[in-house]
Amino acid sequence: MGRVTIAPYDPAWPGLYEEEAVQLRSVFHSRLKELHHIGSTAVPGSDAKPVIDIMAVFTSLAASETIEISLCELGYSRCTSTNSPGRLFFRKRSPVAFHLHIFPEGSKDITRHLALRDYLRAHPARRKAYAGLKKSLAWEYPFNMSAYAEGKHDYVKELECRALRWYRSPASKRRG
């Protein structure tokens, strides 16, 4: 297993997402309902694992074999051990690492991911605290991704609850 690395925010990350998004849209055309840059690399100023997280929304996951074949052609591989009901997960490692999270339209996880991203964009103190936790855990567990993920689990769940309340609030002025 590789080293858990937290890097300072890189302004190239949004452009890397956009380049990959062009390829994904060209393969899936109308089957793809939405595509979003999520995770810490989508939050300007946020330290993050240098992995571009992408969320794709499809009408359904019924054609998952077709989806998988198309993604393999783009260099992605399916990670069955990290799939959960209602989600497909793929990785791509070219010079840049990508994680692709695929959800069916209507999944509550779509809102959860967008809320957290937008909340961290709008709340610098929360963004800084989360980055501090990630750096601390990466230092404590440099070669143990499971321990790193477990160490931030409770904090992320609490952060997601705050983010969802904020996201649903008419006063949030988020989506911009």
Side-chain angles (χ1 to χ4, degrees):
M1 176 174 276
R3 184 174 187 85
V4 179
T5 303
I6 302 299
Y9 180 77
D10 185 340
W13 288 337
L16 293 168
Y17 159 76
E18 288 298 335
E19 289 172 15
E20 194 68 14
V22 167
Q23 289 187 45
L24 292 167
R25 286 185 186 105
S26 73
V27 168
F28 292 114
H29 307 287
S30 62
R31 294 184 291 164
L32 182 66
K33 295 304 215 177
E34 300 174 39
L35 202 59
H36 301 277
H37 186 187
I38 60 170
S40 294
T41 62
V43 180
S46 183
D47 297 340
K49 287 185 293 155
V51 175
I52 309 300
D53 283 290
I54 300 173
M55 179 173 60
V57 179
F58 285 81
T59 304
S60 78
L61 301 182
S64 63
E65 286 180 27
T66 306
I67 293 169
E68 186 170 356
I69 290 167
S70 297
L71 287 170
C72 285
E73 292 172 0
L74 290 178
Y76 284 88
S77 59
R78 187 170 177 178
C79 303
T80 55
S81 63
T82 54
N83 283 324
S84 57
R87 176 185 91 142
L88 300 175
F89 181 68
F90 293 82
R91 285 189 178 124
K92 178 180 180 179
R93 299 197 194 282
S94 53
V96 177
F98 294 93
H99 286 175
L100 180 62
H101 312 257
I102 301 177
F103 294 101
E105 195 172 33
S107 169
K108 63 182 174 37
D109 292 312
I110 297 166
T111 302
R112 180 176 58 83
H113 282 288
L114 295 176
L116 183 57
R117 180 200 64 195
D118 292 354
Y119 182 79
L120 290 173
R121 285 176 174 172
H123 294 86
R126 294 284 179 188
R127 179 174 62 238
K128 185 177 179 180
Y130 183 38
L133 173 63
K134 291 186 290 185
K135 286 189 256 187
S136 174
L137 290 167
W139 180 84
E140 189 172 354
Y141 305 108
F143 297 101
N144 189 338
M145 184 59 74
S146 295
Y148 166 83
E150 182 60 32
K152 65 180 195 158
H153 180 267
D154 290 344
Y155 183 85
V156 170
K157 288 299 175 194
E158 186 271 332
L159 197 56
E160 286 174 347
C161 287
R162 286 177 182 269
L164 283 165
R165 279 195 306 273
W166 172 83
Y167 192 80
R168 292 176 178 138
S169 160
S172 71
K173 298 192 181 26
R174 47 167 177 50
R175 301 186 184 106

